[in-house]
Amino acid sequence: MTDDTPPDPAKPAHAAKQLVKSADKLATSAEQQTNSADRRTVLAADRTVLAAERTYAAWVRTGLAALAAGIGARALLDKLVPDWMIAGTGSVLVLFSALCFIAAIWREFAPGVPPPKPDTAKLPGWLLILVNGFLVMVSIAALIGLWLA
């Protein structure tokens, strides 16, 4: 008699063993599904943390590029356009850089619906605020330098 054949009702001990065996298989399968679902949830949370870090890096990278372009506007546009246009273009780029640095922090700390607890550690918030605060101050100094130079 194989496990696929129905138990013989005349043999209650055999039927009880098959029932216990079937219940064990069902419990094992349910546990594996639960563990698998839990692991997928944790991995999804890890991906969310890493995606947030990439987004933060993209905001900072964009801000640094805008800051460099704003500072370089004077040298690049000198003798091509009037001084007021150079100052305006540089100012817009430098202000945009400051906005990017602020947006990076804002998006990092207000991501929307909180994800499940990840295994991956997040970057310390105080460090992000410190670095971006410094970058905003550099942007303000560059803006002042653009208007006074």
Short mmCIF file of all heavy atoms in Angstrom, two decimals, residues 55-111:
data_model
loop_
_atom_site.label_atom_id
_atom_site.label_comp_id
_atom_site.label_asym_id
_atom_site.label_seq_id
_atom_site.Cartn_x
_atom_site.Cartn_y
_atom_site.Cartn_z
N THR A 55 18.58 57.16 -3.49
CA THR A 55 17.84 58.39 -3.75
C THR A 55 18.51 59.56 -3.05
O THR A 55 18.67 60.64 -3.63
CB THR A 55 16.38 58.24 -3.29
OG1 THR A 55 15.79 57.14 -3.98
CG2 THR A 55 15.58 59.50 -3.55
N TYR A 56 18.92 59.36 -1.80
CA TYR A 56 19.64 60.41 -1.06
C TYR A 56 20.91 60.80 -1.82
O TYR A 56 21.18 61.99 -2.01
CB TYR A 56 19.98 59.90 0.34
CG TYR A 56 20.93 60.80 1.08
CD1 TYR A 56 20.48 61.96 1.71
CD2 TYR A 56 22.29 60.50 1.13
CE1 TYR A 56 21.38 62.79 2.37
CE2 TYR A 56 23.18 61.33 1.79
CZ TYR A 56 22.71 62.47 2.41
OH TYR A 56 23.59 63.31 3.05
N ALA A 57 21.66 59.81 -2.27
CA ALA A 57 22.91 60.08 -2.99
C ALA A 57 22.62 60.84 -4.29
O ALA A 57 23.39 61.74 -4.67
CB ALA A 57 23.65 58.78 -3.29
N ALA A 58 21.54 60.52 -4.96
CA ALA A 58 21.20 61.22 -6.20
C ALA A 58 20.87 62.69 -5.94
O ALA A 58 21.27 63.57 -6.70
CB ALA A 58 20.02 60.53 -6.89
N TRP A 59 20.14 62.98 -4.85
CA TRP A 59 19.84 64.36 -4.50
C TRP A 59 21.12 65.13 -4.20
O TRP A 59 21.31 66.27 -4.66
CB TRP A 59 18.91 64.43 -3.29
CG TRP A 59 17.47 64.26 -3.61
CD1 TRP A 59 16.70 63.17 -3.34
CD2 TRP A 59 16.60 65.20 -4.25
NE1 TRP A 59 15.40 63.37 -3.78
CE2 TRP A 59 15.33 64.61 -4.33
CE3 TRP A 59 16.79 66.48 -4.77
CZ2 TRP A 59 14.24 65.27 -4.91
CZ3 TRP A 59 15.70 67.13 -5.34
CH2 TRP A 59 14.45 66.52 -5.40
N VAL A 60 22.01 64.53 -3.44
CA VAL A 60 23.27 65.21 -3.08
C VAL A 60 24.13 65.40 -4.33
O VAL A 60 24.71 66.47 -4.55
CB VAL A 60 24.03 64.43 -1.99
CG1 VAL A 60 25.42 65.01 -1.76
CG2 VAL A 60 23.24 64.46 -0.69
N ARG A 61 24.21 64.39 -5.18
CA ARG A 61 24.99 64.48 -6.41
C ARG A 61 24.46 65.59 -7.32
O ARG A 61 25.22 66.39 -7.87
CB ARG A 61 24.95 63.13 -7.12
CG ARG A 61 25.87 62.95 -8.25
CD ARG A 61 25.92 61.50 -8.77
NE ARG A 61 24.63 60.86 -8.89
CZ ARG A 61 24.21 59.84 -8.13
NH1 ARG A 61 24.98 59.36 -7.18
NH2 ARG A 61 23.03 59.29 -8.31
N THR A 62 23.14 65.69 -7.44
CA THR A 62 22.54 66.74 -8.24
C THR A 62 22.83 68.11 -7.64
O THR A 62 23.13 69.07 -8.36
CB THR A 62 21.01 66.51 -8.36
OG1 THR A 62 20.79 65.22 -8.94
CG2 THR A 62 20.36 67.59 -9.21
N GLY A 63 22.75 68.20 -6.31
CA GLY A 63 23.04 69.46 -5.64
C GLY A 63 24.48 69.89 -5.84
O GLY A 63 24.76 71.07 -6.07
N LEU A 64 25.41 68.95 -5.75
CA LEU A 64 26.83 69.27 -5.96
C LEU A 64 27.08 69.73 -7.39
O LEU A 64 27.86 70.66 -7.63
CB LEU A 64 27.72 68.08 -5.60
CG LEU A 64 27.80 67.75 -4.10
CD1 LEU A 64 28.54 66.43 -3.90
CD2 LEU A 64 28.47 68.87 -3.34
N ALA A 65 26.44 69.09 -8.35
CA ALA A 65 26.60 69.49 -9.75
C ALA A 65 26.03 70.89 -9.98
O ALA A 65 26.65 71.72 -10.67
CB ALA A 65 25.91 68.48 -10.67
N ALA A 66 24.88 71.18 -9.39
CA ALA A 66 24.28 72.51 -9.53
C ALA A 66 25.15 73.57 -8.84
O ALA A 66 25.31 74.68 -9.36
CB ALA A 66 22.87 72.53 -8.95
N LEU A 67 25.72 73.23 -7.70
CA LEU A 67 26.61 74.15 -6.99
C LEU A 67 27.84 74.46 -7.83
O LEU A 67 28.24 75.62 -8.00
CB LEU A 67 27.01 73.56 -5.64
CG LEU A 67 27.93 74.41 -4.77
CD1 LEU A 67 27.27 75.73 -4.41
CD2 LEU A 67 28.29 73.63 -3.50
N ALA A 68 28.44 73.43 -8.39
CA ALA A 68 29.61 73.63 -9.24
C ALA A 68 29.27 74.46 -10.48
O ALA A 68 30.03 75.35 -10.87
CB ALA A 68 30.20 72.28 -9.65
N ALA A 69 28.12 74.20 -11.07
CA ALA A 69 27.70 74.96 -12.25
C ALA A 69 27.42 76.41 -11.89
O ALA A 69 27.75 77.33 -12.65
CB ALA A 69 26.47 74.31 -12.88
N GLY A 70 26.81 76.62 -10.72
CA GLY A 70 26.53 77.99 -10.29
C GLY A 70 27.79 78.78 -10.02
O GLY A 70 27.89 79.96 -10.38
N ILE A 71 28.76 78.14 -9.40
CA ILE A 71 30.03 78.81 -9.12
C ILE A 71 30.80 79.04 -10.42
O ILE A 71 31.39 80.09 -10.63
CB ILE A 71 30.87 77.98 -8.12
CG1 ILE A 71 30.20 77.99 -6.75
CG2 ILE A 71 32.29 78.50 -8.02
CD1 ILE A 71 30.80 77.01 -5.76
N GLY A 72 30.75 78.08 -11.31
CA GLY A 72 31.46 78.20 -12.58
C GLY A 72 30.78 79.10 -13.59
O GLY A 72 31.38 79.44 -14.62
N ALA A 73 29.56 79.51 -13.31
CA ALA A 73 28.84 80.37 -14.26
C ALA A 73 29.58 81.65 -14.55
O ALA A 73 29.62 82.13 -15.69
CB ALA A 73 27.43 80.66 -13.73
N ARG A 74 30.19 82.25 -13.53
CA ARG A 74 30.90 83.52 -13.73
C ARG A 74 32.05 83.33 -14.74
O ARG A 74 32.20 84.11 -15.67
CB ARG A 74 31.44 84.05 -12.42
CG ARG A 74 32.14 85.40 -12.58
CD ARG A 74 32.37 86.12 -11.29
NE ARG A 74 31.20 86.35 -10.50
CZ ARG A 74 30.32 87.34 -10.72
NH1 ARG A 74 30.47 88.14 -11.74
NH2 ARG A 74 29.29 87.50 -9.92
N ALA A 75 32.84 82.28 -14.55
CA ALA A 75 33.98 82.07 -15.45
C ALA A 75 33.52 81.65 -16.85
O ALA A 75 34.11 82.07 -17.86
CB ALA A 75 34.90 81.01 -14.87
N LEU A 76 32.48 80.84 -16.93
CA LEU A 76 32.03 80.34 -18.23
C LEU A 76 31.30 81.40 -19.05
O LEU A 76 31.40 81.42 -20.28
CB LEU A 76 31.12 79.13 -18.03
CG LEU A 76 31.79 77.87 -17.50
CD1 LEU A 76 30.75 76.80 -17.18
CD2 LEU A 76 32.79 77.34 -18.51
N LEU A 77 30.53 82.26 -18.39
CA LEU A 77 29.69 83.21 -19.11
C LEU A 77 30.30 84.60 -19.20
O LEU A 77 29.71 85.48 -19.82
CB LEU A 77 28.32 83.27 -18.45
CG LEU A 77 27.53 81.96 -18.43
CD1 LEU A 77 26.23 82.12 -17.65
CD2 LEU A 77 27.25 81.49 -19.84
N ASP A 78 31.46 84.80 -18.59
CA ASP A 78 32.10 86.11 -18.61
C ASP A 78 32.35 86.55 -20.06
O ASP A 78 32.83 85.79 -20.88
CB ASP A 78 33.41 86.06 -17.82
CG ASP A 78 33.97 87.45 -17.56
OD1 ASP A 78 33.17 88.40 -17.46
OD2 ASP A 78 35.21 87.56 -17.45
N LYS A 79 32.01 87.77 -20.37
CA LYS A 79 32.17 88.39 -21.69
C LYS A 79 31.24 87.80 -22.75
O LYS A 79 31.34 88.12 -23.92
CB LYS A 79 33.62 88.30 -22.17
CG LYS A 79 34.57 89.05 -21.27
CD LYS A 79 35.98 88.93 -21.75
CE LYS A 79 36.89 89.62 -20.73
NZ LYS A 79 38.28 89.35 -20.96
N LEU A 80 30.33 86.91 -22.35
CA LEU A 80 29.34 86.37 -23.29
C LEU A 80 27.97 87.01 -23.07
O LEU A 80 27.23 87.21 -24.03
CB LEU A 80 29.22 84.86 -23.16
CG LEU A 80 30.43 84.03 -23.57
CD1 LEU A 80 30.19 82.56 -23.27
CD2 LEU A 80 30.73 84.22 -25.05
N VAL A 81 27.64 87.22 -21.82
CA VAL A 81 26.33 87.81 -21.47
C VAL A 81 26.56 88.89 -20.42
O VAL A 81 27.63 88.95 -19.79
CB VAL A 81 25.35 86.73 -20.93
CG1 VAL A 81 25.02 85.71 -21.99
CG2 VAL A 81 25.91 86.03 -19.72
N PRO A 82 25.56 89.76 -20.19
CA PRO A 82 25.72 90.82 -19.19
C PRO A 82 25.94 90.24 -17.78
O PRO A 82 25.53 89.12 -17.47
CB PRO A 82 24.40 91.58 -19.26
CG PRO A 82 23.75 91.18 -20.53
CD PRO A 82 24.29 89.85 -20.90
N ASP A 83 26.56 91.04 -16.92
CA ASP A 83 26.87 90.61 -15.55
C ASP A 83 25.62 90.24 -14.76
O ASP A 83 25.64 89.29 -13.96
CB ASP A 83 27.65 91.70 -14.80
CG ASP A 83 29.10 91.76 -15.26
OD1 ASP A 83 29.56 90.78 -15.87
OD2 ASP A 83 29.75 92.80 -15.00
N TRP A 84 24.51 90.97 -14.96
CA TRP A 84 23.30 90.66 -14.21
C TRP A 84 22.77 89.27 -14.57
O TRP A 84 22.22 88.56 -13.73
CB TRP A 84 22.21 91.72 -14.42
CG TRP A 84 21.70 91.81 -15.83
CD1 TRP A 84 22.16 92.60 -16.84
CD2 TRP A 84 20.63 91.02 -16.39
NE1 TRP A 84 21.46 92.38 -18.00
CE2 TRP A 84 20.50 91.41 -17.76
CE3 TRP A 84 19.78 90.04 -15.90
CZ2 TRP A 84 19.56 90.85 -18.61
CZ3 TRP A 84 18.84 89.49 -16.75
CH2 TRP A 84 18.73 89.90 -18.09
N MET A 85 22.95 88.88 -15.82
CA MET A 85 22.50 87.54 -16.25
C MET A 85 23.41 86.45 -15.66
O MET A 85 22.93 85.38 -15.27
CB MET A 85 22.48 87.45 -17.77
CG MET A 85 21.75 86.23 -18.28
SD MET A 85 21.66 86.18 -20.08
CE MET A 85 20.43 87.41 -20.40
N ILE A 86 24.69 86.74 -15.57
CA ILE A 86 25.63 85.78 -14.96
C ILE A 86 25.27 85.59 -13.49
O ILE A 86 25.18 84.45 -13.01
CB ILE A 86 27.08 86.28 -15.10
CG1 ILE A 86 27.50 86.28 -16.56
CG2 ILE A 86 28.03 85.41 -14.29
CD1 ILE A 86 28.83 86.96 -16.82
N ALA A 87 25.04 86.71 -12.79
CA ALA A 87 24.69 86.63 -11.37
C ALA A 87 23.35 85.91 -11.18
O ALA A 87 23.20 85.11 -10.26
CB ALA A 87 24.64 88.02 -10.76
N GLY A 88 22.40 86.18 -12.04
CA GLY A 88 21.09 85.52 -11.94
C GLY A 88 21.17 84.03 -12.20
O GLY A 88 20.61 83.22 -11.46
N THR A 89 21.89 83.66 -13.24
CA THR A 89 22.05 82.23 -13.57
C THR A 89 22.78 81.49 -12.46
O THR A 89 22.36 80.41 -12.03
CB THR A 89 22.82 82.07 -14.90
OG1 THR A 89 22.11 82.75 -15.92
CG2 THR A 89 22.98 80.62 -15.26
N GLY A 90 23.87 82.08 -12.01
CA GLY A 90 24.62 81.46 -10.91
C GLY A 90 23.78 81.34 -9.65
O GLY A 90 23.82 80.33 -8.95
N SER A 91 23.00 82.40 -9.37
CA SER A 91 22.15 82.38 -8.17
C SER A 91 21.10 81.30 -8.23
O SER A 91 20.86 80.58 -7.25
CB SER A 91 21.47 83.75 -7.99
OG SER A 91 22.43 84.75 -7.79
N VAL A 92 20.46 81.16 -9.39
CA VAL A 92 19.43 80.11 -9.53
C VAL A 92 20.05 78.73 -9.34
O VAL A 92 19.48 77.87 -8.65
CB VAL A 92 18.73 80.23 -10.90
CG1 VAL A 92 17.89 79.00 -11.20
CG2 VAL A 92 17.86 81.48 -10.95
N LEU A 93 21.21 78.51 -9.93
CA LEU A 93 21.86 77.20 -9.80
C LEU A 93 22.29 76.92 -8.36
O LEU A 93 22.11 75.82 -7.84
CB LEU A 93 23.06 77.11 -10.74
CG LEU A 93 22.71 76.97 -12.22
CD1 LEU A 93 23.93 77.20 -13.09
CD2 LEU A 93 22.10 75.61 -12.49
N VAL A 94 22.83 77.93 -7.69
CA VAL A 94 23.26 77.75 -6.29
C VAL A 94 22.05 77.55 -5.38
O VAL A 94 22.07 76.70 -4.49
CB VAL A 94 24.14 78.93 -5.84
CG1 VAL A 94 24.38 78.89 -4.35
CG2 VAL A 94 25.46 78.91 -6.59
N LEU A 95 20.97 78.30 -5.61
CA LEU A 95 19.75 78.10 -4.81
C LEU A 95 19.16 76.71 -5.07
O LEU A 95 18.66 76.06 -4.14
CB LEU A 95 18.73 79.19 -5.12
CG LEU A 95 19.06 80.57 -4.56
CD1 LEU A 95 18.09 81.62 -5.08
CD2 LEU A 95 19.06 80.54 -3.03
N PHE A 96 19.21 76.27 -6.30
CA PHE A 96 18.74 74.92 -6.61
C PHE A 96 19.59 73.88 -5.88
O PHE A 96 19.06 72.86 -5.41
CB PHE A 96 18.77 74.67 -8.12
CG PHE A 96 18.34 73.28 -8.50
CD1 PHE A 96 17.03 72.87 -8.35
CD2 PHE A 96 19.26 72.36 -8.99
CE1 PHE A 96 16.63 71.58 -8.68
CE2 PHE A 96 18.88 71.07 -9.32
CZ PHE A 96 17.56 70.68 -9.17
N SER A 97 20.89 74.11 -5.77
CA SER A 97 21.74 73.16 -5.05
C SER A 97 21.33 73.08 -3.58
O SER A 97 21.24 71.99 -3.01
CB SER A 97 23.22 73.53 -5.18
OG SER A 97 23.56 74.66 -4.41
N ALA A 98 21.05 74.24 -2.97
CA ALA A 98 20.60 74.23 -1.58
C ALA A 98 19.28 73.49 -1.44
O ALA A 98 19.08 72.71 -0.49
CB ALA A 98 20.47 75.66 -1.06
N LEU A 99 18.38 73.68 -2.40
CA LEU A 99 17.11 72.96 -2.38
C LEU A 99 17.34 71.45 -2.47
O LEU A 99 16.68 70.67 -1.77
CB LEU A 99 16.22 73.43 -3.54
CG LEU A 99 14.94 72.63 -3.73
CD1 LEU A 99 13.93 73.00 -2.66
CD2 LEU A 99 14.37 72.85 -5.11
N CYS A 100 18.28 71.03 -3.31
CA CYS A 100 18.58 69.59 -3.43
C CYS A 100 19.10 69.02 -2.12
O CYS A 100 18.72 67.92 -1.73
CB CYS A 100 19.59 69.36 -4.55
SG CYS A 100 18.92 69.58 -6.20
N PHE A 101 19.97 69.77 -1.43
CA PHE A 101 20.51 69.29 -0.16
C PHE A 101 19.42 69.16 0.89
O PHE A 101 19.40 68.22 1.68
CB PHE A 101 21.63 70.21 0.33
CG PHE A 101 22.80 70.30 -0.62
CD1 PHE A 101 23.41 71.51 -0.86
CD2 PHE A 101 23.27 69.18 -1.30
CE1 PHE A 101 24.47 71.61 -1.74
CE2 PHE A 101 24.33 69.28 -2.18
CZ PHE A 101 24.94 70.49 -2.40
N ILE A 102 18.50 70.10 0.89
CA ILE A 102 17.37 70.05 1.85
C ILE A 102 16.42 68.92 1.47
O ILE A 102 15.95 68.18 2.33
CB ILE A 102 16.67 71.42 1.89
CG1 ILE A 102 17.59 72.45 2.52
CG2 ILE A 102 15.35 71.33 2.65
CD1 ILE A 102 17.14 73.89 2.36
N ALA A 103 16.15 68.77 0.18
CA ALA A 103 15.25 67.71 -0.27
C ALA A 103 15.82 66.33 0.04
O ALA A 103 15.07 65.40 0.34
CB ALA A 103 14.98 67.84 -1.77
N ALA A 104 17.14 66.19 -0.02
CA ALA A 104 17.76 64.89 0.28
C ALA A 104 17.43 64.47 1.71
O ALA A 104 17.05 63.32 1.95
CB ALA A 104 19.27 64.98 0.09
N ILE A 105 17.54 65.40 2.64
CA ILE A 105 17.22 65.10 4.04
C ILE A 105 15.73 64.86 4.21
O ILE A 105 15.30 63.92 4.88
CB ILE A 105 17.69 66.25 4.95
CG1 ILE A 105 19.21 66.29 4.99
CG2 ILE A 105 17.13 66.12 6.36
CD1 ILE A 105 19.85 65.09 5.64
N TRP A 106 14.94 65.71 3.60
CA TRP A 106 13.48 65.59 3.72
C TRP A 106 13.01 64.23 3.20
O TRP A 106 12.22 63.55 3.87
CB TRP A 106 12.81 66.73 2.95
CG TRP A 106 11.33 66.64 2.90
CD1 TRP A 106 10.46 66.58 3.96
CD2 TRP A 106 10.53 66.58 1.73
NE1 TRP A 106 9.17 66.49 3.51
CE2 TRP A 106 9.19 66.50 2.13
CE3 TRP A 106 10.82 66.61 0.37
CZ2 TRP A 106 8.14 66.44 1.23
CZ3 TRP A 106 9.77 66.55 -0.52
CH2 TRP A 106 8.45 66.47 -0.08
N ARG A 107 13.49 63.81 2.05
CA ARG A 107 13.08 62.52 1.49
C ARG A 107 13.61 61.34 2.31
O ARG A 107 12.97 60.30 2.39
CB ARG A 107 13.56 62.39 0.04
CG ARG A 107 12.96 63.41 -0.91
CD ARG A 107 11.47 63.28 -1.04
NE ARG A 107 11.16 62.00 -1.62
CZ ARG A 107 9.96 61.45 -1.63
NH1 ARG A 107 8.96 62.06 -1.09
NH2 ARG A 107 9.77 60.28 -2.17
N GLU A 108 14.77 61.52 2.92
CA GLU A 108 15.34 60.44 3.74
C GLU A 108 14.53 60.22 5.01
O GLU A 108 14.32 59.10 5.44
CB GLU A 108 16.80 60.77 4.07
CG GLU A 108 17.49 59.71 4.89
CD GLU A 108 17.77 58.42 4.15
OE1 GLU A 108 17.77 58.39 2.91
OE2 GLU A 108 17.99 57.40 4.83
N PHE A 109 14.06 61.31 5.62
CA PHE A 109 13.37 61.18 6.90
C PHE A 109 11.85 61.12 6.78
O PHE A 109 11.17 60.85 7.76
CB PHE A 109 13.76 62.33 7.83
CG PHE A 109 15.17 62.20 8.33
CD1 PHE A 109 16.13 63.13 7.98
CD2 PHE A 109 15.55 61.13 9.11
CE1 PHE A 109 17.44 63.01 8.42
CE2 PHE A 109 16.85 60.99 9.55
CZ PHE A 109 17.79 61.93 9.20
N ALA A 110 11.30 61.38 5.61
CA ALA A 110 9.85 61.28 5.41
C ALA A 110 9.57 60.42 4.18
O ALA A 110 9.07 60.90 3.17
CB ALA A 110 9.26 62.68 5.24
N PRO A 111 9.88 59.11 4.25
CA PRO A 111 9.76 58.28 3.07
C PRO A 111 8.34 57.85 2.73
O PRO A 111 8.09 57.27 1.70
CB PRO A 111 10.60 57.05 3.43
CG PRO A 111 10.48 56.95 4.90
CD PRO A 111 10.41 58.38 5.39
#
